[in-house]
Amino acid sequence: MTGQSEDKLEISGLRFTKYVLPFAISQTLAWATCFYSFPAFLPIWEAQLGFSKTSLTGSYTLSLIVSAIFAPFVGRFIDKGSGNFVFCFGTLLAFCCLFLLSKVTEIWHFYVLWFFMGIAMSCSLYEACFAFLTKTLDAGARRAITFVTLAAGFAGTIAFPSAHFLTQFYGWRSAILIFSFVILIVNLPLVCRTTNKL
């Protein structure tokens, strides 16, 4: 009985503060940089690159389809205990996609990069996150998922003003580069540490 109480205390107290909070921060940054970056930069790309909104949004739609297709496979990897690898791989892939996105000049570049971004999102956003928390925290997962969801709800609030501000001062290509380095420098260490310890 005492052991069970200590387990619950660890999940609701120490483990929650040390690991779920950083995980919530990493999810917020992942959503801001991966998911919301497209709508945040869409008007700028349309105006400066001369591509139609339909052509551009087609690449984003592709990423969502790819993410949905890969989600079950990602879930299986997590169920087998490879959550740390999945999240680190997805985070690194997202960094590469955004880094290369800052160099695009042709519309097909968008389709290639957002195809791979779809894979990255399937490995690092809610579906993977919820599967990982459910497997890892068991009874404590519900509270953790609620907290992470509420925190990541601020991702759009971060992405749109950041994209606007950075573009105004540095141009959209540098702004995308900054987004990519946020993933590499801030998000990757958070993800690696948190998923390795939970």
Side-chain angles (χ1 to χ4, degrees), residues 90-128:
T91 304
L92 278 171
L93 184 57
F95 159 72
C96 293
C97 289
L98 285 180
F99 182 87
L100 293 173
L101 194 60
S102 69
K103 316 294 182 188
V104 298
T105 55
E106 304 291 338
I107 189 64
W108 66 267
H109 295 164
F110 279 91
Y111 281 83
V112 171
L113 291 175
W114 283 97
F115 173 89
F116 285 103
M117 183 62 90
I119 299 174
M121 290 193 294
S122 72
C123 293
S124 56
L125 296 185
Y126 277 159
E127 290 83 357

Side-chain angles (χ1 to χ4, degrees), residues 127-143:
E127 290 83 357
C129 169
F130 296 162
F132 181 78
L133 289 175
T134 300
K135 176 177 175 56
T136 308
L137 294 181
D138 196 21
R142 181 178 295 180
R143 182 184 174 212

Side-chain angles (χ1 to χ4, degrees), residues 8-103:
K8 289 180 181 177
L9 181 64
E10 185 186 7
I11 289 171
S12 62
L14 179 63
R15 183 176 288 191
F16 189 90
T17 304
K18 289 183 70 174
Y19 305 123
V20 178
L21 179 59
F23 206 26
I25 295 170
S26 74
Q27 275 294 292
T28 305
L29 293 175
W31 278 90
T33 53
C34 299
F35 187 86
Y36 287 109
S37 60
F38 190 97
F41 285 98
L42 177 60
I44 302 163
W45 291 330
E46 187 182 8
Q48 295 190 13
L49 295 176
F51 304 134
S52 71
K53 185 176 292 185
T54 303
S55 298
L56 287 166
T57 53
S59 65
Y60 190 55
T61 303
L62 175 64
S63 74
L64 299 179
I65 293 170
V66 169
S67 179
I69 291 171
F70 274 84
F73 300 102
V74 169
R76 287 174 197 162
F77 272 104
I78 292 172
D79 287 342
K80 291 177 181 178
S82 301
N84 180 254
F85 170 78
V86 166
F87 276 93
C88 291
F89 170 76
T91 304
L92 278 171
L93 184 57
F95 159 72
C96 293
C97 289
L98 285 180
F99 182 87
L100 293 173
L101 194 60
S102 69
K103 316 294 182 188

Side-chain angles (χ1 to χ4, degrees), residues 145-182:
I145 288 170
T146 301
F147 183 79
V148 169
T149 305
L150 289 173
F154 290 97
T157 308
I158 295 170
F160 285 90
S162 298
H164 177 76
F165 175 82
L166 292 171
T167 300
Q168 290 296 310
F169 284 91
Y170 306 110
W172 74 263
R173 292 185 187 275
S174 295
I176 286 284
L177 272 179
I178 292 170
F179 271 42
S180 73
F181 280 107
V182 166

